[in-house]
């Protein structure tokens, strides 16, 4: 069995994630990011989106490198070539 992306998991469910599931997902993403941060050669760039957050067969969170440009909705404004605006208020 291979990995399943968060998008695939959400599409297969008839409901959204519950709050406790969201907190668990956030925690696991943070733990995975700590590991990835210490292994700089794993990712040159990392875009976190429902398509790149995935679960392995044991249920562990992992990040997929899709070898494609991320959807603009998930790209940080400072990484956009058009110099897009941020919704952040200063």
């Amino acid at each position: 069995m291979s990995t399943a992306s968060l998008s695939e998991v959400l599409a297969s469910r008839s409901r959204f994630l519950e709050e406790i599931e969201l907190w668990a997902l956030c925690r696991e993403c943070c733990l995975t990011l700590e590991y990835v941060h210490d292994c700089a050669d794993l990712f040159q760039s990392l875009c976190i989106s429902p398509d790149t957050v995935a679960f392995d067969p044991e249920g562990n969170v992992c990040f997929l490198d899709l070898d494609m440009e991320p959807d603009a909705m998930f790209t940080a404004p400072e990484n956009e070539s058009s110099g897009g605006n941020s919704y952040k208020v200063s």
Side-chain angles (χ1 to χ4, degrees):
M1 181 177 206
S2 63
T3 60
S5 73
L6 180 58
S7 289
E8 294 167 339
V9 170
L10 292 173
S12 70
R13 297 170 56 127
S14 60
R15 59 185 173 82
F16 295 108
L17 295 176
E18 299 290 331
E19 182 179 1
I20 191 77
E21 294 171 312
L22 289 171
W23 281 114
L25 178 60
C26 287
R27 179 186 182 278
E28 291 302 314
C29 284
C30 288
L31 292 173
T32 303
L33 284 171
E34 282 183 336
Y35 174 77
V36 170
H37 181 265
D38 294 334
C39 303
D41 58 330
L42 288 179
F43 290 97
Q44 293 300 316
S45 63
L46 177 63
C47 177
I48 300 174
S49 74
D51 293 325
T52 60
V53 174
F55 305 93
D56 68 14
E58 289 79 37
N60 300 309
V61 170
C62 56
F63 297 111
L64 302 176
D65 187 1
L66 299 179
D67 256 353
M68 57 188 247
E69 289 297 314
D71 186 320
M73 181 168 47
F74 301 112
T75 305
E78 61 269 18
N79 292 336
E80 289 183 16
S81 59
S82 64
N85 295 325
S86 174
Y87 293 105
K88 212 186 262 189
V89 178
S90 41

